[in-house]
Amino acid sequence: MIKVGIIGSTGYAGAEIVRLIQQHKEAEVVWFGSRSYVDEKYADVFKNMFQIVDAKCMDDNMEELADAVDVIFTATPQGLCGSLVNEEILKKVKIIDLSADFRIKDVATYEKWYGIKHQSPQFIEEAVYGLCEVNRDKIKDARLIANPGCFPTCSFLSIYPMVKEGLVDPKSIIIDAKSGTSGAGRGAKVNNLFCEVNENCKAYGVATHRHTPEIEEQLSYAAGEEVMINFTPHLIPMQRGILATSYATLKKPMTYEEVKAVYDKYYKDEYFVRVLENSTPPETRWVEGSNFVDVSFKVDERTGRIIMMGAMDNLVKGAAGQAVQNMNIMFGLPENEGLQQVPMFP
Amino acid sequence: MIKVGIIGSTGYAGAEIVRLIQQHKEAEVVWFGSRSYVDEKYADVFKNMFQIVDAKCMDDNMEELADAVDVIFTATPQGLCGSLVNEEILKKVKIIDLSADFRIKDVATYEKWYGIKHQSPQFIEEAVYGLCEVNRDKIKDARLIANPGCFPTCSFLSIYPMVKEGLVDPKSIIIDAKSGTSGAGRGAKVNNLFCEVNENCKAYGVATHRHTPEIEEQLSYAAGEEVMINFTPHLIPMQRGILATSYATLKKPMTYEEVKAVYDKYYKDEYFVRVLENSTPPETRWVEGSNFVDVSFKVDERTGRIIMMGAMDNLVKGAAGQAVQNMNIMFGLPENEGLQQVPMFP
Amino acid sequence: MIKVGIIGSTGYAGAEIVRLIQQHKEAEVVWFGSRSYVDEKYADVFKNMFQIVDAKCMDDNMEELADAVDVIFTATPQGLCGSLVNEEILKKVKIIDLSADFRIKDVATYEKWYGIKHQSPQFIEEAVYGLCEVNRDKIKDARLIANPGCFPTCSFLSIYPMVKEGLVDPKSIIIDAKSGTSGAGRGAKVNNLFCEVNENCKAYGVATHRHTPEIEEQLSYAAGEEVMINFTPHLIPMQRGILATSYATLKKPMTYEEVKAVYDKYYKDEYFVRVLENSTPPETRWVEGSNFVDVSFKVDERTGRIIMMGAMDNLVKGAAGQAVQNMNIMFGLPENEGLQQVPMFP
Amino acid sequence: MIKVGIIGSTGYAGAEIVRLIQQHKEAEVVWFGSRSYVDEKYADVFKNMFQIVDAKCMDDNMEELADAVDVIFTATPQGLCGSLVNEEILKKVKIIDLSADFRIKDVATYEKWYGIKHQSPQFIEEAVYGLCEVNRDKIKDARLIANPGCFPTCSFLSIYPMVKEGLVDPKSIIIDAKSGTSGAGRGAKVNNLFCEVNENCKAYGVATHRHTPEIEEQLSYAAGEEVMINFTPHLIPMQRGILATSYATLKKPMTYEEVKAVYDKYYKDEYFVRVLENSTPPETRWVEGSNFVDVSFKVDERTGRIIMMGAMDNLVKGAAGQAVQNMNIMFGLPENEGLQQVPMFP
């Protein structure tokens, strides 16, 4: 039985790890970290866990935690994992960091977009970007996983095959994403109140959102050349779900069948990536609560562009689910253990 | 492996049975009945099932179905199950009817409140009212289960201990219930459009709702005398969830501890009924997607009344989940097999 | 032109006063009080007012305000108005207080339910409870108006005729109310985040909600005897709207027509109270954005009870709209000036 | 007093015309056309109009209507207005058509994208495209107005200044739009049920949506050369509101100030177009219920693109409000008469 510790277990992503591990046969959470709720019963904060989780919330002592568990998930704001990790800890325990601290290889880029100084740049090189479908082999032996961001996961997976095969102009990519509100976290902010979010749609972080360099870096690896994108996230009145709609110029005309073959080449054996048929647009309702990403595309002969779409649950494949998938790979378990929930609809 | 057939598998309750059985180790759906979608792939209707369910929808042939499966769930409008069932079928297969056809023992009462003629009154006596926590023993040997209505399940379970123990005035009970919209079904009706339901709250079926006699009958059995209630359901802008707030006059003053002991007496060993502590009001978000009913109460010394509250997912414990729970009891399986989903929040 | 000052203009109720006064021919807001946003442009906080309101937010100086305006609306937490008002101010300016400070005539009752010490009990007697349809004559000459609470307005108006005429048992009244989230205010609280409110329904303040004594006091005046009620508010995922469903035992059997005549007697000349026909249940969508209260009732011969229902926009008739209605009465204007918005649907 | 007739008054757009005209000093609705509800009281269908509108719904007799009113609004599916209009009628009455029948000058393009044969192509040339801010002068003398589509209005107005001034590459424009559900109409369709729309986001009509040629035609007029775009609408769980996020490549680098000056040149005197400051992203909540379009932009120096954003209420400026604005221009009234509602928030 894998012993799991979570730092930040009372945020939405942390709580989702708790939910998923509850349904995992080979793992159990033994440390419910939460600075805000130390000594309170976890089930008093998340009452869905009443009579399921009996433990109390504990503080963020990573040293102590390293002795108590096999793997630590840090579901915390940027900067925390980077400030806590050290070689002693990494010798004892595997770390899956859900923050952005180890996602970007270039420290200067990280510090510029995030506006904070990196506290442990010496581990960036070692850290593996935990996009399971792409980096599976490296993940197996990793000590430190940089769990991908929600928008990057959904955007990247829906574009990846076309970029990898060099079929689209790498300077033409525009990603327009829409996200439910759980992505904004559980902090008490006026902007996230029900009355402010409901009946509203807005873009945010236009041309400045921090997930931009993360997406560009990963797409550049895939392309083998520099990719520069526009990325615009939008907040919409749902709880869960991300839909990414991406536009790129085809280098040459392609038929539906040709493109479909490209997607199938990369994803036909991937359990969690479902390539829809006949250009059916993906919808967030069809993946809610599950670790699936549904991807699809439409070739527009008129404009010579391809529209690539992906739908995903931001808390599962976009955060906690992918983190558990990484854990499964690291511990040699079936990749979908604990992640076989059928999407819940309605 | 129990072979399951569903008549009405493309309604919300039917689809929820499909979702639950997917996660059930000892059962599999082999017949996806759906008059509206015959010969269409099930996963084209419910796209969450893409790459999970490969079958096509089939027609409602109960004779043929009886030969093909071990248990039939009828998730259909009132009257259908009553018109199809017969002795030949019941000899071959167990039936769990999610409609109201066999819930009410008095045919005249059924016909009056539902406004239709009962097609097979000869089976009413035999049918067992499938409220698992109360009728567990009878369910074990039943051939035909009348799966309880959503409002009756939530209302009854939150009131039951007080009525059973004779602690409240049986003529004083008022039940004010609030339901998400999935309870209204998947029919294409203007009243259930997003723009009509969102930002709206309304009562319906005031003093005439069909679940009234069902609740009264079950409470009367518990009380050992006739119970007459007011029951008012309300439609609110959510997908899933029922909250029932019930009022009754205490026969004599009682403390919180005394009442708590009564609830614990009935529910402390019930896996699916969680009695909250310290009069914490239950909330539908804490049970969503699960088979739990959270119940709680508040004694009001000023007025001498007790307010009893229950929260439940109408599609799970209020329909498909309780149906599967009944199946588990009928087939001698652990009662919570396939029903251990942790409530999903947010 | 009536000069209006608002203390608390950046809360939801305060902002609604701003919206309504914008559409009022005889009044204009000249003081946008907001402690939290002093010196910020009002339209930077409420961007709907961009290019409509040019003013900046100002501090809460009631002395200075009394010299600058003709009427002050206090849309602030309990206790503030009571701590600021004095005889000098009341000689200069009329005050319409949207808090509870002057609603309850018995100081001890106020202090018990609100848990705070009243700072100016000497003005309680003078203050007029601003339920326009009932106290119109007293309002005309008042200096200080206690603007009614949202739940009391909706509950009272839907019950009033029956209690006033002595047709229901005054000890039998149970009020079960459902409210949108704007009633919880614009404070940054986890409980009011989109992800916590959406897909959720819960009761709160069960048997202890502060609006209980306010409703009881007003119903007791109407009845001419003491009325004691159960009142349970619920939070549901909408922005605006209150639905109150009330139950009472009829003293003697009555027909629909008899009861309808009672309601018409009190409301047929009231512009803002619409008595629906044929027991049609009121719905919050049909009053949203307007100052209307839609009321209706259903006689249940089986149980001898009457179910009385009212729907209202909590920010309009339940707060800002009724406050403006009070202002109109106090200044001798047509009662519906600035309040003729047609309900907006969808 | 202008006499108004509405064909299709019980759809969402038609009902919004009713709401707006109620608040218009110089116009009144005298004919509530509705094939589905002939002879029913209008206020029985839209109960917000109880005690406000007393009329009954009438059939679609355009001949008779032409004699009874001064202006006819057709808020009906494509093809109806085209099939009813003739020279006799146009001599008697002005027509404002909210469908697409007269928006596209090239009949072949219309017939290709809409898949129906045009019934009165002889009036296409005469019809004026009713985008008030651009075609004001032609509208004054028009007999037949083609009221713009919702997406075209919002998309066009947020892009127009840049295209008109020739500052962006006309082949580079990508419009990604998000719409509330009222845009899908009031028809009883499973896809528009609350449970299907809520907690969901999806693209639709990808590369094939009918508003594409309408936007292209208008942008081409502005550019003085052919513009070809990608346009992707998305459905999100709100009632009202459209947000359009558009991307284009700048022909040369521009500063914020330079672009702002361009937008101000076109819009500083336009009452209904608000250019936000400092690249603030527009939000649908700030325009809900009003005829405003809020536009803004962000220059992205990295990619050399400009992101242009517009927010609008699809039922007001995107349909009924713009139709009334057109009526005001045609009848020589102040352009904002009946359209001065302040946006309602929350």
Side-chain angles (χ1 to χ4, degrees), chain D residues 160-189:
Chain D
Y160 172 58
M162 298 302 285
V163 167
K164 178 75 177 174
E165 295 283 313
L167 297 167
V168 296
D169 174 355
K171 295 286 181 276
S172 71
I173 301 171
I174 289 170
I175 302 171
D176 189 287
K178 299 89 187 165
S179 174
T181 308
S182 58
R186 207 176 183 233
K189 294 178 188 161

Side-chain angles (χ1 to χ4, degrees), chain A residues 80-203:
Chain A
L80 189 82
C81 185
S83 74
L84 294 178
V85 72
N86 62 44
E87 183 60 30
E88 293 310 299
I89 289 170
L90 283 176
K91 278 183 179 155
K92 294 182 188 164
V93 69
K94 290 176 186 295
I95 294 182
I96 299 173
D97 178 25
L98 280 75
S99 86
D101 285 1
F102 299 98
R103 291 180 195 156
I104 292 170
K105 291 297 175 199
D106 183 60
V107 185
T109 300
Y110 172 88
E111 295 186 342
K112 178 181 151 207
W113 287 78
Y114 283 87
I116 50 177
K117 178 137 188 67
H118 203 294
Q119 298 298 310
S120 48
Q122 69 275 22
F123 295 113
I124 295 178
E125 190 52 37
E126 174 185 351
V128 175
Y129 188 74
L131 196 58
C132 308
E133 283 74 13
V134 175
N135 294 332
R136 191 170 281 128
D137 286 340
K138 291 186 197 155
I139 293 165
K140 279 178 189 160
D141 304 317
R143 302 192 300 175
L144 174 57
I145 294 287
N147 205 58
C150 53
F151 288 122
T153 298
C154 191
S155 306
F156 180 87
L157 288 173
S158 47
I159 298 174
Y160 173 59
M162 297 303 285
V163 167
K164 179 75 177 173
E165 295 283 314
L167 297 168
V168 295
D169 173 355
K171 295 285 181 278
S172 71
I173 301 171
I174 289 171
I175 302 171
D176 189 287
K178 299 89 188 165
S179 174
T181 307
S182 58
R186 209 178 181 228
K189 293 178 189 161
V190 169
N191 266 344
N192 296 335
L193 294 177
F194 182 85
C195 288
E196 312 283 321
V197 170
N198 200 36
E199 279 294 292
N200 192 33
C201 180
K202 66 173 176 184

